[in-house]
Amino acid sequence: MTNQFDLTDDQREIQDLARRFTADRITPHAAEWDEKHIFPRETIKAAAELGFAAIYVSEESGGIALGRLEAALIMEAMSYGCPSTSAFISIHNMAAWMIDRFGSAAVKDKYLPSMVTMDRLSSYCLTEPGSGSDAAALKTRAVRDGDDWIVTGSKQFISGAGENEVYVTMVRTGEDGPKGISCLVIEKDMPGVSFGANEKKLGWHSQPTRQVIFDGVRVPAANMVGGEGEGFRIAMMGLDGGRLNIGACSLGARSGVSTRRLVIPRIGNSSGRRSRTSRTRSSWWRTWRPNWRRRARCFTWRLRR
């Protein structure tokens, strides 16, 4: 009988491809990126050459049309080397999927070709200074003016802000609450778009995190993703996949930390006995190793070593 947690041959190939890419292009450089606050744009674009910029974007739009499970495998593998970089790529995928799934043909043709190749990078803009967990209370407002929307407000803690070219942004176009929220694609170079200072973070330095400020930004009405008032539903559907990916990033980071602990040479002493550090590490390994399959509960599959 087939184990429901087993990966298919194709899924294993995808996982191995992501692991090889991580070993070659991410892991050797992650510490320097974090220490020197380097945004590794070229490495991120190299990931796009493998299809990792449009994992669940349709083939018609240039993506590789994989599922959420395959995306999680890729994110876990890359997070082994650098969870910050993997999470950034996950967010770009989320924004690209939202455009592909809900955007008009004109919006898809305008943005997806350059997003699939990561010639243009994208951010997901929902959180505001006054609305975090209560996202439906957002205040950034868009007012219709002819063939445009005039957007005023700000977004907080936006990954890629200032570096990325495309911002998939939730704005209020109607009444209070979730039914008054719509989704617009806003470009970095549109007049009135500016950015705050880079946030001070503990780690997570390979991607910038800033406030995005909209001061009377004129956005073409054709840049709306989905219909007016559908933005909150679209935003939540995007997060459905995004949360799976962040969970996978956490697993990959834990795996990377665990492996690095185990390869630390044993620290001896003049008596030839193992040090306290070594004994503690061995005790930790004996406790952790029998329970590694608990990771599968997060996604309902078992990840082979």
Side-chain angles (χ1 to χ4, degrees):
M1 184 174 68
T2 302
N3 191 318
Q4 63 175 323
F5 296 127
D6 280 342
L7 300 177
T8 67
D9 290 341
D10 287 345
Q11 288 167 346
R12 293 184 193 281
E13 289 183 12
I14 292 165
Q15 187 181 53
D16 288 342
L17 176 63
R19 285 173 171 173
R20 290 195 300 271
F21 176 79
T22 300
D24 291 342
R25 301 297 299 270
I26 296 179
T27 305
H29 311 290
E32 181 183 11
W33 295 342
D34 190 76
E35 180 182 0
K36 299 181 180 179
H37 296 213
I38 295 172
F39 179 60
R41 181 178 283 265
E42 292 305 314
T43 299
I44 290 170
K45 286 191 66 175
E49 295 174 4
L50 303 177
F52 294 170
I55 297 169
Y56 32 79
V57 170
S58 65
E59 292 180 351
E60 293 78 9
S61 296
I64 58 177
L66 297 179
R68 300 295 187 180
L69 172 54
E70 289 81 8
L73 291 172
I74 292 167
M75 296 305 157
E76 184 190 19
M78 291 194 294
S79 285
Y80 181 94
C82 181
S84 171
T85 303
S86 181
F88 179 90
I89 293 173
S90 169
I91 294 168
H92 176 88
N93 272 272
M94 179 168 62
W97 175 82
M98 291 167 65
I99 293 174
D100 180 50
R101 176 67 177 81
F102 299 102
S104 65
V107 171
K108 293 179 186 180
D109 292 343
K110 185 176 181 180
Y111 292 106
L112 285 179
S114 58
M115 291 173 67
V116 165
T117 60
M118 282 187 165
D119 288 322
R120 286 200 287 188
L121 302 175
S122 58
S123 292
Y124 172 92
C125 300
L126 176 63
T127 301
E128 295 185 2
S131 61
S133 57
D134 184 14
L138 65 84
K139 300 297 183 183
T140 297
R141 180 163 292 279
V143 178
R144 189 66 181 259
D145 182 24
D147 292 333
D148 299 321
W149 291 95
I150 309 300
V151 180
T152 302
S154 63
K155 298 293 179 179
Q156 190 76 27
F157 305 127
I158 303 304
S159 295
E163 288 283 351
N164 292 356
E165 292 80 16
V166 176
Y167 297 84
V168 179
T169 307
M170 269 44 73
V171 298
R172 186 163 303 285
T173 56
E175 63 190 61
D176 291 342
K179 294 183 179 180
I181 296 172
S182 301
C183 179
L184 291 173
V185 180
I186 301 177
E187 299 177 23
K188 175 183 179 179
D189 294 332
M190 289 178 173
V193 176
S194 61
F195 304 95
N198 203 359
E199 298 287 347
K200 295 181 179 179
K201 299 174 290 186
L202 182 62
W204 219 258
H205 292 139
S206 72
Q207 55 162 290
T209 305
R210 297 185 176 95
Q211 189 178 57
V212 184
I213 303 164
F214 307 108
D215 184 10
V217 181
R218 185 173 290 273
V219 182
N223 276 25
M224 182 169 286
V225 177
E228 188 173 343
E230 295 181 353
F232 190 77
R233 178 177 67 89
I234 293 171
M236 294 301 103
M237 291 180 69
L239 285 178
D240 286 342
R243 285 166 176 151
L244 288 175
N245 288 345
I246 291 300
C249 288
S250 299
L251 291 175
R254 169 62 187 269
S255 180
V257 169
S258 300
T259 301
R260 289 169 179 82
R261 284 174 58 91
L262 293 172
V263 300
I264 297 173
R266 291 184 176 184
I267 304 172
N269 53 41
S270 59
S271 67
R273 299 175 61 187
R274 288 185 301 161
S275 70
R276 182 177 180 181
T277 301
S278 180
R279 293 196 301 273
T280 300
R281 185 169 61 249
S282 297
S283 175
W284 169 85
W285 173 238
R286 287 194 300 271
T287 301
W288 181 82
R289 185 178 182 180
N291 299 317
W292 71 271
R293 288 183 178 84
R294 291 179 182 174
R295 298 185 305 160
R297 296 176 185 173
C298 293
F299 301 106
T300 69
W301 78 85
R302 185 180 67 210
L303 301 183
R304 295 285 187 177
R305 294 174 70 85

